[in-house]
């Protein structure tokens, strides 16, 4: 089947609709039961990028000019920073095994090589043809992840009460979006605690966190239409952030179109648990479980529209997997991060 591969510089409304069609069809096929993305969510994912990154986008059109495949390549914004790139490549289920995925990946690899990147990573569902597709193209498995889901109606009663359990020397704080100015620097320092998070054989960029970058990250979530919720454990000794947990509430319903209100309603019912970290000097006090339970109770009290939370954790991170299990999270699916070494 003849196809046309096109690099997008500024995605139009038609481009976004075509991208949404491919992404929705692939998710419905590969992850049945998961909420589908809204048009607004797809638009935001193609037009907003975090600090230190930039995007390169490709859309493949089929015989009737409909979208049949997409690729989103995340590149470092400037020289340095490890020269690591990642790609999200999607082929419509009705157009798989026709060679377009191979051709599109070749285009992406060439672009990342031209940008002097050293590694290219991507993530696929474990046990699917995506693994053999990558393995035969010199990608190697670098990190295995377990995705977990928590149905809020099934949270154990003891978890709901955990925030009331005193943790001598610490107090809880919560905010939405960027941290209060008084906590911005120590929150950035706590973010750096993720540097020792298990990452298997996956090479990851080491981000320099400061108050400005923390604020930029919160602003990015707002531009995507998401609400960023934060809970932190504050050390009574010096007022610094000893640990934190973050969660995003999905965007509001978009203005309609493909995947309109029904998909938006489904998506709004699911929140995404992001990173949780405790500064090394404050570990061993149960702060991670305390923080995550406080976040969950906040959802129950303040956001009844949210019915479930999903998260992903490296299989090597046994401690966080145990914390999640104690909270009531259950396995949802498994994915594998693959990495390709690019030509020098």
């Amino acid at each position: 089947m003849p196809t046309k591969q096109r690099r997008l510089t500024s995605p139009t409304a038609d481009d976004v609709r075509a991208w949404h069609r491919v992404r929705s069809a692939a998710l419905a096929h590969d992850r049945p039961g998961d909420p589908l993305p809204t048009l607004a969510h797809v638009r935001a994912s193609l037009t907003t990028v975090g600090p230190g990154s930039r995007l390169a986008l490709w859309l493949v059109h089929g015989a009737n000019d409909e979208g049949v495949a997409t690729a989103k390549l995340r590149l470092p914004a400037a020289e340095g920073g490890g020269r690591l790139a990642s790609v999200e490549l999607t082929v419509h289920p009705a157009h798989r095994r026709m060679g377009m995925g191979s051709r599109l990946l070749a285009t992406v690899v060439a672009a990342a090589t031209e940008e002097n990147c050293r590694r290219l990573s991507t993530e696929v569902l474990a046990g699917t043809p995506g693994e053999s597709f990558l393995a035969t193209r010199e990608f190697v498995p670098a990190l295995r992840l377990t995705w977990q889901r928590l149905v809020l109606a099934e949270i154990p009663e003891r978890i709901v009460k955990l925030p009331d359990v005193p943790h001598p020397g610490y107090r809880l704080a919560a905010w939405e979006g960027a941290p209060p100015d008084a906590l911005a620097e120590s929150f950035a320092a706590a973010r750096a605690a993720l540097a020792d998070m298990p990452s298997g054989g996956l090479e990851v960029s080491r981000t320099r966190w400061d108050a400005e970058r923390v604020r930029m990250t919160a602003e990015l979530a707002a531009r995507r239409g998401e609400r960023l919720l934060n809970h932190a454990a504050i050390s009574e000794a010096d007022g610094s952030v000893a640990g934190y947990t973050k969660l995003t509430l999905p965007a509001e319903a978009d203005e309609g179109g493909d995947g309109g209100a029904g998909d938006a309603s489904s998506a709004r019912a699911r929140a995404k648990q992001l990173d949780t970290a405790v500064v090394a000097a404050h570990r061993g006090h149960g702060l991670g479980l305390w923080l995550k339970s406080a976040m969950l109770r906040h959802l129950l009290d303040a956001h009844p529209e949210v019915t479930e939370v999903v998260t992903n954790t490296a299989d090597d991170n046994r401690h966080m997997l145990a914390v999640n299990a104690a909270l009531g999270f259950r396995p949802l699916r498994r994915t594998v991060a693959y990495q390709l070494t690019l030509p020098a």
Side-chain angles (χ1 to χ4, degrees), residues 15 28 34 44 111-112 114 139 167 171 230 234 236 240 255 280:
D15 293 334
D34 273 16
E114 187 175 343
F139 281 79
H167 276 61
R171 61 180 173 85
N230 307 267
I234 308 300
E236 297 282 14
S240 67
E255 64 275 15

Side-chain angles (χ1 to χ4, degrees), residues 43 49 73 167 212 256 271 293:
R43 181 185 306 108
V49 63
L73 175 65
H167 276 61
E212 180 182 3
S293 63

Side-chain angles (χ1 to χ4, degrees), residues 150 155-163 289 292-294 296-297 323 326-328:
L150 171 64
I155 295 179
E157 182 65 22
R158 61 183 176 80
I159 296 299
V160 177
K161 294 180 178 178
L162 267 181
L289 184 62
K292 295 184 85 164
S293 63
L296 294 175
R297 189 163 76 178
V323 168
L327 291 165

Side-chain angles (χ1 to χ4, degrees), residues 227 229 249 295-306:
R227 297 178 64 180
L229 307 185
L249 301 180
M295 177 71 81
L296 294 175
R297 189 163 76 178
H298 175 73
L299 286 181
L300 290 170
D301 293 342
H303 299 282
E305 75 281 5
V306 176

